[in-house]
Structures are given as structure tokens and as C-alpha cells.
Amino acid sequence: MYVNGKQIIIENIISLNDFLKKEGYDTQRVAVEKNGIIVPKKFFEIEMLCNTDKLEIVCFVGGG
Amino acid sequence: MQINDELENTITARNVPDIKETLKNGKVAIAGLGGLGSNIAVMLARIGVGKLLLVDFDVVEPSNLNRQYYDLTHLGMLKTEALKSQIEKINPFVATETCAVKVTAENATEIFKDYTVVCEAFDNPQDKAVLVNTLLENGEKKIVAASGMTGFDSANKIKTKKMFENLYVCGDSEPAKQEGIGFMAPRVTICAGHQANMALRLLLNIRVC
């Protein structure tokens, strides 16, 4: 799987939500595109990932 | 009327030529009118973007004055009204719409429905994510968001990146370690400049950053 351009091998099928948590992301601060399509927040728990997927993750930090 | 036309043309006379009509027909929404949003709105007004939607529920406080486009006479005013009055004094030919409510997943689609280019300029990272996700899930808007512009680290680290098909993110992309160290006018304004320039490019139908 490619995450923001870097290859990550996942051993077992995993939900997007669990993957984000495992990687240390705060899921309340992210937007995610999977294979070029935005993943709606409400589907994070049922969206399953595999090694052929391409993820782009934007994690916002505060300030404005 | 003729005097007005002349003034309108003269205000933008030093702009790049041949884009006046495109900008005059352009509409940009600005979500959050703090250090980013107030500066973005003023820059877009100066270059003659025809219509701006200004969204913020907050009022101007003294602690805003280190980086936001307000002055002492605006203290206690809604930021929407204060910024509208600033823009009227700079370029009165720009139409401004205001919306003084907190943006949520429930109301975002309705608030921004008439605008295809939206600048995300909130302070809180959860609010940023809610706006970006809600708009991207519900339509074909182009969003210019911001993440990472605190402190006085090198100005050269602030960049515009195209992250998704319809999402551009301006900032230094530094992780959360940057949080809580304070906001300074230069880097916040630089980031606002990145956002305003990307919004301008999108109005001109340029999709690369």
C-alpha cells in the first residue's frame, strides 16, 4: 500500500479507521483519499485496506 | 456612474492585464476570518474578485491585532461586519456576503452552495477537517486549506501542495509539535498569501499549484 507516496506493507486486512489509529493519526483531524476518491468520514470503520491501495492522508494542525 | 467605472478600473489598473472580467465574475468563500481569512479576503478584494462570502461567528478581540486585518475601532464587532467594512474602504466594487454562524457538518453544504472555490481558514484542526470532509463528500468544490504556519520558522518552508483532486493545502506541513507556540503576523500572512494566490489561480482555471 502507498500512503502519501511511501510504501507500507500491511500483514492483514485492516479498516481505514484502525489503520489511522495504528499510525497515530487523530481521526477527527484528517481527510483521506483512497485511490483518488474521498472516503466519507462515516465509512472510515467499514472501508477496508489492502496492499494495492493508494492512500493520501491530510492531517490538519491548528492555527489560523 | 462614469466616475465610478473609472475608479473601479483604476483600482485594478496594475493587475496582470486581460483577467479583469474573469476576476469580476469570480466568487470565493472564506471560512474563518482570523489571521488567514481576514488577509485572504483583503487580498482577493484588492485584485477585484467580484464576490466574496465571509464566514465567522466570532468578534474582534485585542489579541487578534497581532496578525489579523482589523484595528482598534473594530473591537467587539463581529468579524464578518468588521471585515466587510474594511473591504468597502479598499475596493467598494467587491460584493460581500456575510454569514456569522459556526460552520458544522450539518450546515456547511448550504452555507457554501453558491461558491465553487472555498478557502478554509479556521483555527481549530477538527473544524478544518469537518469543513474539508463535508464539502469534498458533497460536491465538486475546490478547497484551499491551511495547515501549519505558527511561530517564526523559515518562511521558505511554507508551500502550496495539491493533496487531493480538489484539495490544496498551504502551510509548512510540520506535525503537531508546532502547535501551541504562538502565531506571528509574518508566517500567518505568508500562508494567507499562498491561499489567496491558489484561489486566484483556480479562478483563472489553473489547477496546478
Side-chain angles (χ1 to χ4, degrees):
Chain A
M1 181 165 69
Y2 280 90
V3 179
N4 293 352
K6 282 182 196 155
Q7 194 172 20
I8 292 181
I9 305 292
I10 48 173
E11 304 292 334
N12 298 302
I13 196 159
I14 184 171
S15 75
L16 174 59
N17 203 57
D18 288 345
F19 176 78
L20 290 169
K21 283 185 174 163
K22 189 165 79 70
E23 292 292 313
Y25 286 101
D26 176 347
T27 55
Q28 298 305 307
R29 296 181 175 205
V30 299
V32 181
E33 211 178 49
K34 179 185 158 187
N35 303 329
I37 297 164
I38 186 83
V39 183
K41 262 318 231 318
K42 62 182 177 205
F43 296 149
F44 275 20
E45 286 184 16
I46 56 167
E47 189 74 44
M48 303 310 281
L49 304 177
C50 64
N51 279 319
T52 53
D53 286 328
K54 213 178 136 189
L55 284 190
E56 294 294 335
I57 303 169
V58 173
C59 185
F60 291 103
V61 299
Chain B
M1 207 59 209
Q2 202 183 343
I3 295 168
N4 264 352
D5 286 349
E6 212 174 291
L7 179 60
E8 183 175 6
N9 286 330
T10 315
I11 287 174
T12 55
R14 294 296 179 97
N15 272 0
V16 173
D18 304 327
I19 57 172
K20 184 182 180 345
E21 281 310 306
T22 308
L23 296 190
K24 184 76 186 165
N25 294 326
K27 298 198 291 186
V28 178
I30 297 135
L33 305 176
L36 297 170
S38 63
N39 285 298
I40 293 167
V42 167
M43 283 185 266
L44 295 179
R46 288 189 191 280
I47 61 173
V49 172
K51 194 169 181 190
L52 299 174
L53 170 64
L54 311 174
V55 183
D56 201 304
F57 65 91
D58 219 347
V59 296
V60 179
E61 295 176 29
S63 64
N64 300 150
L65 301 184
N66 80 327
R67 67 194 187 284
Q68 305 186 16
Y69 212 102
Y70 306 108
D71 63 45
L72 291 171
T73 65
H74 298 120
L75 295 181
M77 276 175 81
L78 277 168
K79 288 184 176 178
T80 47
E81 295 312 307
L83 193 58
K84 186 182 172 74
S85 78
Q86 293 287 61
I87 288 170
E88 281 165 359
K89 283 185 274 186
I90 293 166
N91 188 345
F93 305 102
V94 173
T96 52
E97 259 192 297
T98 60
C99 180
V101 301
K102 179 158 172 67
V103 175
T104 64
E106 288 70 41
N107 66 17
T109 309
E110 177 65 21
I111 291 172
F112 298 98
K113 69 176 191 300
D114 294 333
Y115 292 80
T116 50
V117 178
V118 177
C119 293
E120 177 286 309
F122 289 142
D123 180 18
N124 179 298
Q126 283 92 345
D127 292 341
K128 289 171 180 285
V130 165
L131 177 69
V132 167
N133 281 304
T134 306
L135 296 184
L136 289 177
E137 287 170 25
N138 292 290
E140 278 292 297
K141 292 188 190 304
K142 297 175 186 73
I143 305 172
V144 185
S147 185
M149 75 304 292
T150 54
F152 44 76
D153 200 354
S154 171
N156 294 336
K157 290 187 181 173
I158 294 176
K159 302 208 181 314
T160 303
K161 290 181 183 165
K162 184 173 182 173
M163 296 302 296
F164 300 170
E165 181 56 30
N166 287 317
L167 176 65
Y168 300 81
V169 180
C170 305
D172 60 20
S173 305
E174 292 286 327
K177 69 178 174 63
Q178 284 279 353
E179 282 183 65
I181 63 168
F183 305 106
M184 308 294 286
R187 287 186 108 236
V188 173
T189 312
I190 289 162
C191 190
H194 271 260
Q195 288 183 275
N197 193 53
M198 194 63 234
L200 163 61
R201 288 168 68 77
L202 290 169
L203 291 178
L204 299 173
N205 216 15
I206 301 166
R207 304 287 301 269
V208 291
C209 56

